[in-house]
Structure formats: structure tokens, C-alpha cells
Amino acid sequence: MKSTDLHAPAGTAVVRPVTAQERATRAAANAGEPTLEFDGQVPYDAYVRASTLHRLQQPLGDDPGEMSFLMVSQIMELYFKLTCFELRGAQPLLRADRVTEALAPLRRAGMHLEGLNGAWRSLRWMTPADFNRFRNLLGEASGLQSAMYRHLEILLGLRNEALIRPFRRQADVYAELVADLNAPSLWDDVLALLGRQGHPLPAELPRADLTTEHTPYAEVEAAWVQVYADPRPENHLWLLGEALTLIAEEFGDWRYHHVKAVQRAMGAKVGSGGSNGLAWLQRSMARVVFPELWSARTSM
């Protein structure tokens, strides 16, 4: 089996790589026009699997607003996954002290979070009346039950073992969440890097119990104050701090937009998933991503 075949489901055409020479030959044969005839599945569909993707929207009712709600939710799930992908790509680079190389996936993660935030704009039309027309069809489904969002939170250092409990009867999903909860977060890796770069860290770091949430330390805050005292492009830790700031800022914006969307669509009604809805979301916003990176600014 070729490497390009590995993730192709049964019955799906496989994209065959082509060379620059083959592209040029095809363009010459077509006199500059696009190819319109293929032996089987259109290559774009074989690669993107658009046909499969577009079959995943199955509204439970006939209200047109539900399609917007469903598709935007799926778009956000994809952005959660893409951001997690980038953060996971940065972690081994940080652990190997390859800070310059880690900046690229971290900056991409920040940009993906910008796209995630943009998705909220597609739901600004939703009033309480609009949401209520299909809300009951959702049953107990709630965005707070997104496993991929939990992965993102855990990777960013927001750890709450109770919030992965809903997935215990989905063995594969739960096992993946537990694995992330017991592995260093991105922030854990950044703090370890600061220590290796000569910044004194408290004796409690690295944390013995990774499942608990990070507690801010004055020593970590002081390390960032020192890093930011040298804003030259050659200071890779300063560049790292800025990349992390973008991620934290965009993630915070997503949580803020979530609160505003809930306020717009349902006010302070009881949440679909059993929480008290708006109040629960507002409390969750108090948990800060990369806390010392923000508190250090007071002393800069």
C-alpha cells in the first residue's frame, strides 16, 4: 500500500501524486483550459472528501436556522482539531529546545483561532425566537460536551478531570482525553524550556500531578519580565512569548464570543447540557490561559 493510500476509506479513489513536468504536459495538452474529464472520482473530491463532508449535515427539523447552527458547530470542531494539531506539533520542538522551529506551528495556531472566532459571525442573526424554534430538538446536546474542545483546553493548560467524565462510556474518546490529561500541557513544556534556558523556577515545577491545573508562580512571572526586557528579534523566548500571547488572546476571545452568543440566543435560561448556562460560562472565563505571561505585564 502506498503512503497516499493509508487513510483512504474503502471504495474511495486515491489521489495520485503528479510531478511538475506532468502538470506542464497536461496544461499544454489542454491549451490552458482545465481538465473536465476524469476516469473516476474527481481528484479534488478524492483528496478533500467533500462528498463525505457534505453528507454530515443532518438537521433534526425543518427550520432553516438549524442548518446554520449545525454547520457552524461542525466548522468550529474542525478548527478545534486544527489548533490542537498545531499545538501538538510545537510541543516536541519546545522539548528539544528548537524554539525557532516551534514558532511556526504556534503562529499558525493563533491564526486558526482567528478563523475560529470568525465563525461566530455566522450566528449573529440568532435571536431567542430563532433558537427556540429548534432548541428542543437538540435534547441534552451542548457545546460544552465537545471532546475536541476539551483536548484544546487541556493542551492549553486548563485542566479539570471532572469535565472529561461525560465521555467515560465512549472508550476511545475517553482514553485519548485521559492520555492528554496525564501528559504535559503546552504551558508545562514552555516552563520547562524557561528552566533549561537558565531562568530559576520554583521547586514545585515540573508538577508531580499533571491532571491538576497549573498554579501561577512569582518566579515564572519574573522569568517573563526578564525575557521581555530584551525585545530583539534574536531573543527567541521573546518571540515565543508573543506567539503564546496571540494564542491566549484569541482563545479568550472565543470564550467571550461564546458567552455573548449564549446571551443573545437564550439569555440566562438553564443550559441544554444541565448547567446553569450563562453563569457557568462566565465563571469558566476566569480560568486564564498562560497566567504568568499576562500578570508579568504589570511589572514590565
Side-chain angles (χ1 to χ4, degrees), residues 97-217:
D97 295 325
R98 294 158 62 185
V99 182
T100 304
E101 294 172 71
L103 293 175
L106 291 174
R107 286 167 175 162
R108 289 196 300 266
M111 294 177 187
H112 299 330
L113 288 169
E114 288 180 358
L116 173 67
N117 280 318
W120 284 119
R121 291 198 290 271
S122 293
L123 293 178
R124 285 187 299 179
W125 55 268
M126 190 179 291
T127 67
D130 294 322
F131 187 43
N132 288 337
R133 278 196 291 271
F134 62 85
R135 184 189 182 194
N136 289 341
L137 297 176
L138 307 180
E140 292 190 272
S142 165
L144 298 175
Q145 299 159 3
S146 165
M148 194 56 65
Y149 176 73
R150 293 298 166 214
H151 279 293
L152 179 55
E153 277 195 327
I154 291 169
L155 283 168
L156 291 174
L158 300 182
R159 294 177 172 230
N160 185 338
E161 197 166 6
L163 292 179
I164 71 171
R165 224 178 273 157
F167 304 98
R168 282 185 297 183
R169 289 179 175 79
Q170 292 177 253
D172 292 348
V173 175
Y174 185 66
E176 290 171 351
L177 286 165
V178 169
D180 264 0
L181 198 63
N182 284 279
S185 71
L186 178 69
W187 191 234
D188 289 323
D189 289 328
V190 168
L191 298 186
L193 171 68
L194 289 176
R196 292 193 302 273
Q197 295 292 316
H199 294 278
L201 298 181
E204 295 89 339
L205 296 177
R207 294 177 299 132
D209 183 3
L210 293 174
T211 66
T212 60
E213 200 151 303
H214 169 77
T215 301
Y217 290 96

Side-chain angles (χ1 to χ4, degrees), residues 50-90:
S51 297
T52 300
L53 186 63
H54 294 307
R55 285 194 293 268
L56 298 179
Q57 292 77 49
Q58 300 179 26
L60 300 176
D62 55 10
D63 185 83
E66 187 192 353
M67 181 61 95
S68 295
F69 182 81
L70 175 58
M71 290 194 72
V72 169
S73 298
Q74 291 180 340
I75 289 166
M76 288 186 177
E77 283 291 325
L78 292 174
Y79 268 122
F80 293 154
K81 182 175 181 178
L82 183 55
T83 306
C84 287
F85 172 82
E86 300 289 12
L87 299 182
R88 293 186 200 282

Side-chain angles (χ1 to χ4, degrees), residues 219-231:
E219 294 93 332
V220 175
E221 182 180 300
W224 282 112
V225 172
Q226 185 176 351
V227 167
Y228 269 79
D230 178 15

Side-chain angles (χ1 to χ4, degrees), residues 2 4-5 8 12-18 42-48:
K2 298 178 183 178
T4 50
D5 300 349
T12 301
V14 175
V15 177
R16 184 184 69 82
V18 298
V42 174
Y44 173 84
D45 197 23
Y47 177 69
V48 177

